[in-house]
Amino acid sequence: MKSQVQAAVAVATGSPLAVQAITVVFLLGLGYAYFRFLGSKKVSGSPGTGKS
């Protein structure tokens, strides 16, 4: 995982600003979709209050 991040940073460092911006938006979109998918897997209901 760390090597993938380093490779992405190395590629993005030499890229124009527009490419970097598109990459950031793309990664944010992936993160949003990922957590949205995880949210749909949770059991629906009110969260327990006062639980530790």
Side-chain angles (χ1 to χ4, degrees):
M1 179 79 176
K2 188 176 179 181
S3 62
Q4 292 175 340
V5 172
Q6 289 176 343
V9 170
V11 170
T13 303
S15 301
L17 184 60
V19 175
Q20 292 183 27
I22 290 170
T23 303
V24 168
V25 171
F26 176 72
L27 292 174
L28 287 174
L30 281 180
Y32 175 77
Y34 177 74
F35 285 109
R36 185 109 165 134
F37 176 74
L38 281 183
S40 67
K41 289 287 188 182
K42 292 182 181 176
V43 177
S44 60
S46 59
T49 54
K51 293 184 179 179
S52 57

